[in-house]
Amino acid sequence: MSRARADEEEYWHSSKFRAFTFDDEDDELSQLKESKRAVNSLRDIVDDDDDDLERVSWSGEPVGSISWSIKETASSSTSSLEGRDSSLQKGSSSYAAFPKQVSSYSLSSLFKGELCLFLSALSDTGVKNYAPELRRPKAEYKDYSSDWSPKDTVRRMQRGKVCSLERFRSLQDKLVLLDEAVAGHDGNVITAVLIFLKRTLRREILFRELEVRQVALCHLIHFLKETGEQKLLLDLLRLCFFYLSLQLSQYREHLNIQDVEKRREFLKGCIGLPFSAEDTSHIQDHYTLLERQIIIEANDRHLETAGQSEIFRKYPRKASILNMPLVTTLFYSCFYHYTEAEGTFSSPTNLKKTFKIPDKQYVLTALAARAKLRAWDDVDALFTTKNWLGYTKKKAPIGFHRVVEILQRNNAPVQVLQEYVRLVEDVETRLNLATKYKCHDVVIETYRDLKDRIQLTAYKCKVERGSAEEEKINSILNNVVRN
């Protein structure tokens, strides 16, 4: 039992490794530290590009001397093979391969030799077949190439790719690039292209091209405001104001053209002027309206001359429709062509749809035209709507108080006025209109609904004696007394 215990103690206290001591300077740990320091200072010691420094081997002899070269050559063939065999067969650690005595190798030759052994080992084991060289995709090499079109360049910029704009050297290529950027609707890309154009184009050329590119112009103005380039911003605004004044002067020239066909052709040419999008839309509407007026005028003149239309015989035209404003043209159409189908150029609904006339403006104009003709049925149909259940009710987008005023100006009968005065929702406004236009029935009914006996009695004095209105008031008062 004691022997087994002694064997166990010997097993646990014995070791084939030596204990660490501070006095042992030649142990493997010291060699490891020395090798680590040598590797860390490799760039400072081994520098092939620095010819001014003198290289010294570990033995103290200058690198490149005759004695160093003889020792290097004599030991290179034997040490490399022995080191390779020992490392592959014994499988020892990397630092155990270093000799303990002071070597005559230089640091550069030492690491070059180890590198050659490592590469030769890789070539023998065929590691390259399992770990091929990793390369970037070929598409990545095109980031800085010069074969991207303006459209592709803008598309890559939208995705955050780095693209060089320096390849676009001609003015045409730069303008195509700008147009593609504007078409992409990306403000960052538009601004980036504008910065490139501002740097590579003369100011006069840049301003001239931006004159017809309003979106890019607005982006540049905003960019100059943000960056505080006041001088360039003021020059740009002055030039924009000058061009705008020049365009407006050219547009005003149509007023001096008397011939209608020539004026129409002139307006057609004004559409291409570099106005803003809103102003260009107005000029387009002006041209379309004049073109429509020419067609209506020719047709109505023929009908009036031939006497084939009753409305032209009863209400002869007092002036030509040519060069009239849009509202006047709509009134003319509602007066002479109200019942025409939408497919004709002279139809009011066609004009409303073509020029996007608001409902309020259309109702006001149509009401004035039909009231002037005393077409009360058309007035009634103008405000009558039908819900999804089939019930009808009257609705006015302009308010029934304005309807009453327009009807009164066109001498509408009291019965028609009273019908629309009753539709006014505000009680005070309804009473004022009814009193003003002598709609007695509406006043009496309103006071009755309010149960205002005093006002009803006072209003009795304003109606004629013995009239139907007086009898109606007396009947209401008597019923109130009985109740």
Side-chain angles (χ1 to χ4, degrees):
M1 185 69 180
S2 61
R3 182 177 182 181
R5 183 180 182 88
D7 294 340
E8 185 178 356
E9 291 289 337
E10 182 180 0
Y11 172 77
W12 286 109
H13 291 286
S14 64
S15 175
K16 60 182 177 179
F17 298 100
R18 292 181 299 170
F20 173 77
T21 59
F22 287 98
D23 298 331
D24 192 359
E25 297 294 338
D26 296 330
D27 61 355
E28 294 176 348
L29 183 60
S30 300
Q31 296 180 23
L32 179 61
K33 291 182 178 180
E34 183 180 355
S35 300
K36 185 177 180 180
R37 286 194 299 269
V39 171
N40 290 335
S41 60
L42 179 61
R43 293 182 178 178
D44 298 332
I45 299 175
V46 184
D47 191 358
D48 295 336
D49 297 332
D50 193 356
D51 297 334
D52 297 335
L53 297 178
E54 183 181 5
R55 298 184 179 88
V56 181
S57 66
W58 285 0
S59 61
E61 298 177 352
V63 177
S65 61
I66 298 177
S67 58
W68 175 83
S69 301
I70 294 174
K71 292 180 180 180
E72 255 332 282
T73 306
S75 59
S76 59
S77 57
T78 57
S79 62
S80 60
L81 294 176
E82 292 175 356
R84 176 183 175 186
D85 294 338
S86 61
S87 61
L88 292 177
Q89 293 175 3
K90 296 180 180 180
S92 60
S93 59
S94 60
Y95 62 87
F98 290 99
K100 293 185 178 181
Q101 66 274 12
V102 179
S103 174
S104 61
Y105 291 159
S106 67
L107 189 59
S108 61
S109 64
L110 174 66
F111 282 93
K112 287 180 181 178
E114 291 294 330
L115 181 60
C116 293
L117 289 175
F118 179 74
L119 293 178
S120 61
L122 289 180
S123 62
D124 293 341
T125 56
V127 178
K128 295 183 67 176
N129 296 330
Y130 299 97
E133 181 183 359
L134 298 179
R135 297 180 180 178
R136 292 194 303 172
K138 292 184 178 180
E140 297 295 330
Y141 290 100
K142 295 183 178 180
D143 286 346
Y144 301 97
S145 63
S146 60
D147 57 350
W148 292 109
S149 65
K151 186 175 183 179
D152 293 334
T153 302
V154 171
R155 190 175 303 169
R156 292 177 65 82
M157 292 175 68
Q158 289 175 340
R159 295 199 300 263
K161 298 287 186 177
V162 178
C163 298
S164 176
L165 304 181
E166 300 298 332
R167 64 170 297 268
F168 301 103
R169 298 182 180 179
S170 66
L171 177 61
Q172 182 179 0
D173 290 344
K174 293 177 181 178
L175 296 180
V176 172
L177 179 65
L178 179 60
D179 294 336
E180 290 292 342
V182 173
H185 305 289
D186 192 321
N188 294 331
V189 177
I190 296 174
T191 304
V193 174
L194 285 173
I195 294 173
F196 169 67
L197 297 184
K198 184 172 73 73
R199 181 171 53 84
T200 57
L201 290 179
R202 287 189 301 175
R203 180 179 303 180
E204 296 79 9
I205 298 176
L206 178 61
F207 289 174
R208 183 192 66 196
E209 297 300 335
L210 291 180
E211 176 193 355
V212 295
R213 295 171 173 84
Q214 296 295 323
V215 175
L217 178 61
C218 293
H219 275 77
L220 182 59
I221 291 175
H222 181 74
F223 172 75
L224 295 178
K225 288 180 180 178
E226 292 293 329
T227 56
E229 300 182 50
Q230 296 296 330
K231 187 177 185 303
L232 184 59
L233 178 60
L234 291 176
D235 293 342
L236 181 59
L237 294 177
R238 289 193 194 99
L239 190 62
C240 291
F241 179 76
F242 170 75
Y243 281 129
L244 180 60
S245 302
L246 184 63
Q247 294 155 12
L248 290 176
S249 300
Q250 185 175 355
Y251 173 66
R252 289 194 192 98
E253 287 297 322
H254 79 276
L255 299 175
N256 301 325
I257 303 175
Q258 300 299 326
D259 186 80
V260 180
E261 291 293 337
K262 291 182 179 179
R263 179 180 289 193
R264 182 177 67 88
E265 292 299 324
F266 182 83
L267 287 175
K268 186 177 181 180
C270 289
I271 297 176
L273 293 177
F275 286 102
S276 64
E278 184 178 0
D279 293 339
T280 302
S281 178
H282 291 327
I283 297 175
Q284 177 69 54
D285 289 342
H286 190 177
Y287 167 75
T288 305
L289 178 62
L290 181 58
E291 193 176 36
R292 185 74 58 89
Q293 289 173 348
I294 293 174
I295 297 174
I296 296 173
E297 177 66 21
N299 184 54
D300 290 356
R301 187 185 297 118
H302 173 73
L303 293 175
E304 186 178 22
T305 304
Q308 299 176 356
S309 178
E310 181 181 356
I311 192 170
F312 285 111
R313 292 197 305 268
K314 190 175 181 179
Y315 300 98
R317 298 190 310 157
K318 297 180 180 180
S320 172
I321 193 63
L322 295 175
N323 301 318
M324 292 296 176
L326 177 59
V327 176
T328 305
T329 306
L330 179 61
F331 181 89
Y332 178 93
S333 179
C334 290
F335 193 92
Y336 289 105
H337 305 280
Y338 188 73
T339 58
E340 289 186 5
E342 185 179 347
T344 60
F345 286 143
S346 55
S347 170
T349 53
N350 189 303
L351 289 173
K352 179 178 182 294
K353 184 177 180 180
T354 301
F355 297 99
K356 300 178 181 178
I357 300 175
D359 290 338
K360 290 185 178 181
Q361 184 63 59
Y362 177 79
V363 170
L364 280 172
T365 308
L367 174 62
R370 302 319 292 175
K372 192 174 185 64
L373 288 173
R374 305 182 69 82
W376 309 122
D377 291 338
D378 293 338
V379 171
D380 186 71
L382 190 62
F383 301 107
T384 302
T385 60
K386 185 180 293 187
N387 60 14
W388 64 280
L389 292 175
Y391 296 103
T392 59
K393 69 173 184 177
K394 286 185 170 57
K395 183 179 179 181
I398 59 176
F400 283 106
H401 64 285
R402 298 192 65 184
V403 175
V404 172
E405 294 174 354
I406 295 174
L407 292 176
Q408 196 277 332
R409 285 200 300 265
N410 288 276
N411 301 318
V414 177
Q415 294 79 8
V416 176
L417 279 177
Q418 287 186 152
E419 181 180 357
Y420 288 97
V421 170
R422 287 190 179 97
L423 297 174
V424 178
E425 295 183 358
D426 184 70
V427 176
E428 185 176 356
T429 304
R430 187 196 314 156
L431 284 173
N432 291 335
L433 290 174
T435 305
K436 181 179 180 180
Y437 300 131
K438 297 181 180 182
C439 298
H440 301 303
D441 289 343
V442 178
V443 176
I444 295 171
E445 293 170 359
T446 303
Y447 284 143
R448 181 197 62 190
D449 295 338
L450 293 174
K451 298 181 180 181
D452 194 337
R453 182 182 179 86
I454 297 175
Q455 292 294 337
L456 193 59
T457 304
Y459 193 73
K460 180 180 176 180
C461 302
K462 298 181 181 179
V463 299
E464 295 181 3
R465 288 182 176 271
S467 62
E469 289 80 9
E470 186 181 17
E471 294 180 0
K472 189 174 183 178
I473 294 174
N474 290 332
S475 176
I476 294 172
L477 292 175
N478 292 332
N479 289 333
V480 170
V481 171
R482 292 193 188 99
N483 294 333

